[in-house]
Amino acid sequence: MRLSANSPCPCGREAKLKQCCGRVHQGRPATPPELVRARYTAFVLGKVRFIIDTTHPEASHAREDRGAWRNELQDYCRRTEFHGLQIHEHEVDEERGEAFVRFTVELSIDGRPAGFTERSRFRREGKRWLYLEGELHEPGADA
Ligand SMILES: [Zn+2]
């Protein structure tokens, strides 16, 4: 999906793409909740390189073969329609360089509803937060 920089940001914040997740895509440091938004928007826009670059190298789903990983993500983005993101809460431990964000994504894959709630774990490397892993919650468990 292509969007103009002046479009409303897909993450749901009342801001233009260029003033919201677009900045993070261009390298502005992000807090963990901002990173969840920017990664969601990257999925919407098919910016798979950003998704890979913000995944911690030690993540269990990180792949050595970045080309294959990119193709897999591109395929996922093509088959998925994103309907919205809601961030529920976050905890940031600056000292340990660890953070958690709990959020819900509404989406459908191949036309079937496949939304989920996840508690993501992030680890800081230098100044950047990176996605490490996610723990899935039952859909609607916290509705
Ligand atoms: Zn945004």
Side-chain angles (χ1 to χ4, degrees):
M1 186 183 183
R2 291 190 71 96
L3 279 182
S4 115
N6 287 311
S7 305
C9 194
C11 79
R13 235 188 215 161
E14 282 188 38
K16 292 176 180 176
L17 172 61
K18 68 178 182 189
Q19 285 156 355
C20 189
C21 298
R23 287 182 178 174
V24 182
H25 295 162
Q26 280 166 14
R28 198 191 71 142
T31 64
E34 284 172 344
L35 187 55
V36 168
R37 289 179 182 280
R39 284 172 56 94
Y40 172 82
T41 297
F43 274 108
V44 174
L45 300 176
K47 286 182 173 284
V48 298
R49 181 165 293 180
F50 180 82
I51 294 159
I52 291 173
D53 286 346
T54 55
T55 300
H56 198 286
E58 285 166 27
S60 58
H61 66 287
R63 311 231 341 218
E64 297 256 331
D65 185 343
R66 284 171 71 102
W69 192 6
R70 229 172 11 240
N71 289 341
E72 215 171 80
L73 285 168
Q74 263 156 4
D75 182 56
Y76 174 82
C77 291
R78 261 195 303 271
R79 292 166 50 208
T80 305
E81 216 179 297
F82 295 89
H83 306 303
L85 167 71
Q86 203 189 340
I87 294 186
H88 304 295
E89 68 216 0
H90 65 272
E91 300 159 39
V92 179
D93 187 334
E94 289 288 350
E95 229 153 85
R96 292 184 61 195
E98 192 174 68
F100 293 93
V101 181
R102 198 168 61 88
F103 61 93
T104 299
V105 175
E106 297 299 337
L107 53 79
S108 42
I109 301 175
D110 298 330
R112 284 187 297 273
F116 59 87
T117 297
E118 180 180 316
R119 185 172 185 262
S120 289
R121 187 167 157 212
F122 294 84
R123 194 177 286 165
R124 200 184 51 220
E125 290 295 321
K127 286 182 178 171
R128 296 176 71 220
W129 287 97
L130 298 172
Y131 177 75
L132 189 60
E133 61 194 2
E135 189 184 296
L136 279 187
H137 289 226
E138 288 302 307
D142 54 73

